[in-house]
């Protein structure tokens, strides 16, 4: 395989991207900050921090704790609200030729619909990521992604509003008994693609103060520590729903890790926490991934998606 | 903000020396070209723990001083307190070993265009960036007084060369093991009422910065403080390092101390809300 | 606090142990191997590898993959079967003055009852750990611990058989949407204590062969990587059921880690994977934990259990 | 098994030398007293990646040679192939650095009480423990022939001193870059039928061990092989390193290669079941 004829592009639903490496929501702010380190148009797309309807200050500090090969965060969806976001952040990204996936988060089912409506006519957006891993205010604070009924209602509401204008990527939580069954529910409700996985719920106790370390008590666990859980989730969901594109994430730090997720069934890979330790992680992962795919004889990303599911000689 | 971190780069640098000074390590690093863009108040983010490290986040350290002369080209000095696993690892790195770092990061101290009476206040290793700042202020014709404090003498960092760049230096320790017994804030009210201070530059524990802000609050004294919040990324992408800052309309914004700081206007920080639920804006 | 008057003992249900540090099931084989490195009577107890009714060869190799700050295993409950186990392993442990917690695993609800019956009159056993994190053969391979109904049935069956003879510790899986609700179900069904947590389901793909690395495809993730998930689970369950003793585990490597779990609500702590990297980990953890508790001014382990739940001044 | 690992200890040892030899590193470590208990076939488990390592498991290496004389007291030599992150880390450790290791572990090669004709077969770094074994066998009056093989010359480990302890040494490479072109198993059938071999001692890739077992299966030749399975603990507590072994009644047991091995009777290993679902016993 010569590099020149290798097809590095990928698709998520009807959205096309020239490369399969993306930022992870909440790990690239609105994109500007990383653009000091590399041109944003070189990667597949910028997935923006989940935006809510109103401005939000988020959780008290400390908002982070480092853990072995991982970290906890409890940002609490701090952000400017959808209006300021659409007025300032999206135009800047479009001007800088970045492809944009907007991540939205609501406190109620209706809020998701309202957020989706705001996005409908905004130029330059490639897809919407629906982050359902936040607590449902109407329903005892239950996380939408942990409850099939709530998850379904959210996706239906977004689907109704967008009606095919933009591909819908639904982001799931790994903190469920059966992720493949939740995946099936949201796909039936209208998801075009799935993002797997959000952080795992975790806690660190500060042994000096003898209280939970984070201002928000619990936090989301991310980074290399969780990669085996992410790969398992991607593998299980791809096995159950082989035709549904997956945006894989959770602990990707090198091209090898991205390749692992593609073999498990991801069509694209997001890099989150790794950028905190290495501001050019996205570019490094992307270059290494391309070399790996070529060296393994693949002609395109697409050929490698889910390759680990092929029948083996040893265990047919 | 789009100009912030415009000059920051990731470089692999070599340790030129590593000396214990009291309870700190004074670490000199050969960083090359980037020193040209380092200003007092900027910080550096360092990868710790080696190639297979389970410590995945960089550690932030104030740039104590830089030099672009000398036999090694651009060098940078850090004053590191062995606190937890990452800073301890750094303190044990030997001369000749490599460090992966990103610098310069964050906002620098603002330098007045006119000669003013500047008071520099440092707590513990917080004195590190103040000596470089003193030199810049002196070159601008400012009067530069310095007050350093710590719990005990071993935590005072005050190099002899540094003392030359200030007009006066006063030291306070809580146990009285050197200088006066007491806190850096003790002499402040009288200095301010005497009109001996136009601008305070401070760096040290958050409690100290808050106390100084309290004292300067109803005065004309400008207070530029270098804050210190837990940071996961250091480059503005994670939102973990935020501080509550009062906007002109009185509402609160949570600003990132890595990119909208570390140097902030002390009077705008809503100190009473740090670590509290800030609620809606 | 002087060391001499410090009370390092703990209890799990009616069972008393002179120290709160235990082996983790499956991470100390039958105890003999570790006794080359330290005397077994120095630690709280040996929790034996989950034993099944019949001899079992387990899963094909490779059975392990190292992951960032963790590892996957897919042993598949290899073991000699309950009869050989009771004939050989338990007497040896008793002879060597080790306190013994026997871990049992069944493929059906009835098997658990049968296993419990075999244990009833065996001298020298302090407690039974019921590992319900294995697939239920009768019920589509669903893991007992992931299904409240199956979990309940198993615990009831063991409870009926043991009728107070031995304390029952039920070991839960973290791979559930709501661990506190499963905990409540098994306590209502008769569990005297809970063991938290078993491994997380994970996968590593070998990027050379491009197949899942483990012979069993998926495996259980253990080690420091999962500690934040374990601490969170312990904290949540202790909050929901403050009177139920918890045996905490998942990534404990140092005394600080054990202390963290005790603050979260554990009455005792098991050390598993850490022994693979350090054969004297149990002794090290135990010594460090004791020093920490004393230096923090506690008079006993008991005083520190769940201490992180006390009201704080900052967030009352 | 209760006597196995009776002498094993965790020690912090110092690297005395680290030389590249072909594609391997020859690493000499100052381990002290424990060498007294190290026998050919035993292995050592080493902590890798430094203090904050994300690599939580030890790595196993055959003990190539030990010496309890010399200026440093007890020393141990390892031959390490840079394979993945842990072994590569080990190969980059400099003279003077410390290693945390547990040794000696596992079963040693069985030494015949009578002088016999021994054939030692090593594949790649599998030759490492064979030279020490050769010395012991020679001292017992055995005839010792050795055959080494690898894909290419850089993967043949055959130190000059080692050659002195064998009666003959033959080398095979698959690419013919040194010695004969071919495999170590090529000459076996004729050597056996000539009656030139009583016992084969082998160490190398599992495929090679299996092939030798195939050739010896219907002969009187005893085959002691040192196997290599992925190991998490190395001390018998995790059950990850198992191999299917045929018991006398024909049924299969899964034995731990760390504690019931690495040296095993080649004729009892059910090679065809390695990595397969062994089903019920
Ligand atoms: C702008 C800035 C400048 C600083 N300058 C200096 C300096 O000149 N000299 C010096 O000794 N220290 C300085 N610090 C503090 C230094 O960053 C921490 O001591 C260090 O990160 C602790 O890491 P650790 O691994 O030793 O401790 P751990 O407690 O094990 O660290 C755990 C995690 O928390 C983070 N963390 C813990 N404490 C702090 C802290 N105080 N600030 C930020 N992150 C923290 C670490 O980055 C790490 O991710 C500065 C911090 C900031 C934000
Ligand atoms: C009894 C025994 C003796 C050995 N002797 C030698 C020797 O003398 N020289 C030498 O170069 N190598 C030897 N090996 C192989 C050596 O242990 C592996 O090359 C090494 O563990 C690979 O670790 P890594 O981090 O470099 O690779 P990785 O592939 O990154 O290792 C990942 C994990 O898999 C395990 N693993 C991977 N390959 C092996 C393997 N072949 N055997 C056991 N565990 C493995 C590692 O321990 C680690 O936990 C021996 C192995 C065993 C079991
Ligand atoms: C600091 C931080 C903030 C995050 N914020 C969001 C968010 O706003 N929306 C979202 O869907 N996921 C968010 N995530 C989750 C990441 O997008 C990603 O799913 C997860 O971190 C796993 O990937 P990683 O290990 O590469 O970071 C956040 C993660 C981190 C670490
Ligand atoms: C190799 C291995 C085998 C295990 N076998 C069992 C088992 O038989 N029964 C059981 O209840 N848990 C088993 N576990 C899970 C551990 O007991 C423990 O719950 C888990 O590993 C988390 O603790 P750790 O991180 O300290 O290892 C096993 C874990 C490992 C790593
Ligand atoms: S440390 Fe990440 S935004 Fe400031
Ligand atoms: S490596 Fe753990 S039992 Fe052999």
């Amino acid at each position: 395989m010569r590099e020149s004829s290798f097809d590095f592009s990928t698709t998520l639903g009807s959205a096309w991207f020239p490369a399969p490496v993306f930022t992870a929501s909440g790990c690239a702010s609105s994109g500007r900050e990383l653009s000091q380190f590399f041109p944003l148009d070189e990667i597949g797309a910028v997935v923006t921090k989940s935006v809510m309807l109103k401005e939000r200050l988020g959780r008290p500090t400390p908002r982070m704790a480092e853990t072995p090969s991982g970290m906890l965060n409890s940002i609490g969806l701090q952000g400017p609200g959808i209006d300021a976001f659409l007025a300032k952040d999206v135009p800047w990204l479009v001007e800088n030729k970045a492809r944009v996936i907007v991540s939205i988060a609501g406190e109620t089912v209706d809020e998701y619909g309202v957020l989706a409506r705001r996005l409908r006519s905004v130029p330059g957006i490639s897809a919407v990521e629906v982050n359902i891993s936040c607590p449902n205010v109407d329903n005892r604070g239950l996380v939408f992604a942990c409850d099939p009924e709530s998850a379904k209602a959210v996706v239906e509401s977004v689907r109704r509003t967008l009606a095919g204008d933009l591909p819908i990527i639904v982001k799931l939580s790994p903190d469920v008994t059966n992720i493949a069954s939740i995946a099936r529910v949201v796909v039936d409700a209208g998801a075009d693609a799935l993002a797997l996985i959000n952080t795992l719920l975790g806690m660190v106790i500060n042994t000096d103060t003898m209280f939970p370390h984070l201002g928000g008590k619990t936090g989301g666990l991310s980074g290399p520590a969780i990669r085996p859980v992410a790969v398992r989730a991607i593998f299980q969901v791809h096995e159950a729903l082989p035709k549904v594109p997956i945006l894989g994430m959770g602990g990707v730090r090198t091209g090898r890790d991205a390749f692992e997720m593609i073999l498990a069934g991801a069509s694209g890979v997001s890099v989150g926490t790794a950028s905190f330790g290495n501001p050019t992680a996205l570019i490094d992962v992307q270059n290494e991934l391309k070399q790996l795919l070529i060296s393994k004889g693949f002609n395109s990303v697409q050929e490698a998606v889910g390759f680990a599911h092929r029948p083996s000689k040893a265990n047919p | 903000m789009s100009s912030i971190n415009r000059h920051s780069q990731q470089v692999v640098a070599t340790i030129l020396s590593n000396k214990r000074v009291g309870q700190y390590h004074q670490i000199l690093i050969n960083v090359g070209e980037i020193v040209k863009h380092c200003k007092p108040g900027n910080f550096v983010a360092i990868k710790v723990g080696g190639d297979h490290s389970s410590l995945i986040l960089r550690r932030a350290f104030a740039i104590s001083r830089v030099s672009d002369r000398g036999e090694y080209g651009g060098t940078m000095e850090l004053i590191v307190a062995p606190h937890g696993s990452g800073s301890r690892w750094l303190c044990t790195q030997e001369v000749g070993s490599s460090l992966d770092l990103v610098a310069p990061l964050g906002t620098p101290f603002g330098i007045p265009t006119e000669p003013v009476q500047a008071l520099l206040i440092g707590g513990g290793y917080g004195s590190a960036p103040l000596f470089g700042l003193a030199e810049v202020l002196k070159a601008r014709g400012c009067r530069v007084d310095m007050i350093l404090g710590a719990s005990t003498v071993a935590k005072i960092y005050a190099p002899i060369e540094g003392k030359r760049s200030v007009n006066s230096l006063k030291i306070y320790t809580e146990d009285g093991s050197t200088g006066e017994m007491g806190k850096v804030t003790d002499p402040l009210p009288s200095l301010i009422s005497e009109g001996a201070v136009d601008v305070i530059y401070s760096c040290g524990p958050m409690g100290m910065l808050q106390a100084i802000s309290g004292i300067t609050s109803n005065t004309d004294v400008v207070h530029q403080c270098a804050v210190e919040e837990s940071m996961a990324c250091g480059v503005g992408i994670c939102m973990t390092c935020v501080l509550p800052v009062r906007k002109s309309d009185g509402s609160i914004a949570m600003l990132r101390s890595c990119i909208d700081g570390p140097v902030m206007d002390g009077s705008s920080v809503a100190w009473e809300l740090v670590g509290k639920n800030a609620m809606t804006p």
Side-chain angles (χ1 to χ4, degrees), chain A, chain B:
Chain A
M1 189 63 244
R2 272 163 315 124
E3 190 155 342
S4 57
S5 62
F6 178 77
D7 181 3
F8 204 37
S9 72
T10 195
T11 55
L12 296 170
S14 60
W16 179 92
F17 303 92
V21 177
F22 301 73
T23 66
S25 179
C27 301
S29 200
S30 58
R32 271 179 238 231
E33 297 79 1
L34 279 183
S35 73
Q36 310 288 355
F37 295 94
F38 60 86
L40 297 179
D41 61 353
E42 286 191 4
I43 59 169
V46 171
V47 181
T48 61
K49 171 139 193 71
S50 299
V51 65
M52 303 192 73
L53 207 52
K54 301 258 170 60
E55 183 183 355
R56 235 175 113 101
L57 296 181
R59 294 255 183 85
T61 51
R63 289 180 169 186
M64 73 99 174
E66 197 184 43
T67 69
S69 298
M71 68 173 280
L72 290 181
N73 86 79
S74 68
I75 310 299
L77 293 170
Q78 174 180 347
I82 186 79
D83 292 333
F85 172 75
L86 291 180
K88 275 173 55 186
D89 293 338
V90 173
W92 186 90
L93 286 167
V94 172
E95 228 169 79
N96 284 266
K97 301 196 174 51
R99 285 149 301 269
V100 184
I101 298 178
V102 174
S103 171
I104 58 172
E107 293 185 341
T108 63
V109 171
D110 285 347
E111 255 184 60
Y112 281 97
V114 176
L115 286 162
R117 191 160 324 120
R118 298 281 168 92
L119 297 181
R120 235 168 50 183
S121 51
V122 178
I125 300 180
S126 298
V128 181
E129 188 178 272
V130 184
N131 173 9
I132 56 173
S133 310
C134 31
N136 179 346
V137 171
D138 284 349
N139 186 9
R140 295 170 296 134
L142 215 84
V143 172
F144 290 101
C146 294
D147 174 39
E149 282 313 304
S150 313
K152 187 176 160 203
V154 167
V155 178
E156 280 174 352
S157 150
V158 173
R159 172 85 286 167
R160 250 193 317 276
T161 317
L162 287 180
D165 298 338
L166 283 173
I168 300 171
I169 307 167
V170 178
K171 185 158 177 182
L172 302 183
S173 162
D175 290 326
V176 294
T177 309
N178 186 340
I179 197 163
S181 75
I182 301 265
R184 204 181 294 273
V185 166
V186 301
V187 167
D188 288 348
D192 300 298
L194 298 167
L196 303 171
I197 58 175
N198 215 315
T199 54
L200 276 74
L201 196 66
M203 179 184 275
V204 163
I205 291 173
N206 180 326
T207 50
D208 291 330
T209 65
M210 301 189 281
F211 281 115
H213 180 80
L214 296 177
K217 286 196 180 182
T218 57
L221 183 63
S222 64
I226 70 168
R227 198 169 62 233
V229 175
V231 171
R232 182 266 297 170
I234 294 166
F235 193 92
Q236 285 180 328
V237 171
H238 185 76
E239 193 163 54
L241 304 164
K243 289 190 190 134
V244 179
I246 294 172
L247 179 57
M249 70 202 72
V252 172
R253 190 167 45 177
T254 65
R256 181 224 156 269
D257 305 339
F259 184 44
E260 183 181 21
M261 289 200 174
I262 289 175
L263 293 170
S267 294
V269 174
S270 277
V271 176
T273 304
S275 292
F276 303 167
N278 172 14
T280 57
L282 278 138
I283 297 294
D284 297 348
V285 167
Q286 187 160 293
N287 291 340
E288 289 162 18
L289 172 63
K290 191 171 187 176
Q291 288 316 314
L292 262 171
L293 285 164
I294 291 173
S295 75
K296 283 289 183 179
F298 292 104
N299 296 298
S300 65
V301 173
Q302 200 47 50
E303 275 183 16
V305 173
F307 197 67
H309 293 261
R310 73 196 186 282
S312 83
K313 279 175 212 136
N315 311 296
Chain B
M1 78 115 266
S2 68
S3 68
I4 282 274
N5 293 351
R6 191 156 36 102
H7 296 296
S8 54
Q9 272 184 45
Q10 183 172 355
V11 295
V12 176
T14 312
I15 296 187
L16 297 176
S17 80
N18 180 345
K19 286 187 222 140
R20 247 190 77 177
V21 180
Q23 291 196 9
Y24 306 123
H25 280 249
Q26 182 190 41
I27 301 178
L28 189 70
I29 317 169
N30 186 3
V31 294
E33 292 283 287
I34 57 167
V35 295
K36 296 215 181 78
H37 303 289
C38 296
K39 295 189 180 138
N42 286 150
F43 68 96
V44 55
I46 302 184
K47 192 170 178 299
V48 293
D51 275 351
H52 304 288
S53 183
S54 61
L55 311 172
I56 61 165
L57 303 173
R58 286 173 187 266
R59 304 306 196 248
F61 298 94
I63 298 170
S64 169
R65 272 192 313 191
V66 293
S67 154
D68 59 1
R69 282 151 301 185
E71 52 176 322
Y72 299 108
T75 60
M76 173 186 286
E77 186 192 87
L78 310 177
I79 305 303
V80 179
H83 166 78
S85 14
S87 51
R88 274 203 216 109
W89 176 88
L90 187 56
C91 290
T92 61
Q93 290 313 102
E94 285 168 20
V95 172
S97 29
S98 304
L99 284 184
D100 174 339
L101 54 86
V102 180
L105 293 171
T107 52
F109 287 109
I111 306 300
T113 44
E114 311 272 286
V116 296
Q117 302 180 87
L119 175 63
L120 279 49
I121 309 182
Y125 56 73
S127 57
L130 297 184
F131 296 100
L133 173 64
E135 282 171 29
V136 174
L137 292 171
K138 277 288 231 181
R140 292 281 172 101
C142 298
R143 179 187 162 87
V144 181
D145 298 304
M146 189 180 275
I147 305 181
L148 303 183
S151 54
T152 187
V153 57
K155 292 193 175 173
I156 294 286
Y157 174 71
I160 300 173
E161 327 83 77
K163 290 173 198 168
R164 285 188 216 119
S165 45
V166 296
N167 294 74
S168 78
L169 171 64
K170 222 164 169 184
I171 291 180
Y172 288 80
T173 51
E174 286 169 37
D175 63 0
S177 50
T178 188
E180 308 266 315
M181 180 172 322
K183 295 189 165 183
V184 289
T185 42
D186 294 349
L188 271 196
S190 55
L191 282 172
I192 292 174
S193 59
E194 285 160 21
V197 189
D198 299 317
V199 185
I200 292 179
Y201 294 92
S202 69
C203 185
M206 296 292 269
M208 181 190 103
L209 309 184
Q210 175 168 13
I212 298 172
S213 290
I215 295 170
T216 56
S217 67
N218 290 314
T219 71
D220 290 338
V221 174
V222 172
H223 177 210
Q224 292 195 28
C225 56
V227 301
E228 195 183 302
E229 247 308 337
S230 276
M231 291 183 179
C233 77
V235 298
I237 58 178
C238 75
M239 310 300 284
T240 60
C241 63
V242 296
L243 279 182
V245 170
R246 226 174 284 284
K247 290 190 279 192
S248 48
D249 66 358
S251 69
I252 296 292
M254 297 298 272
L255 297 191
R256 288 163 291 185
S257 58
C258 66
I259 198 164
D260 303 312
V263 177
M264 288 181 158
D265 174 1
S267 68
S268 72
V269 176
W271 297 101
E272 71 287 1
L273 293 179
V274 174
K276 300 277 166 22
N277 237 320
M279 308 291 156
T280 38

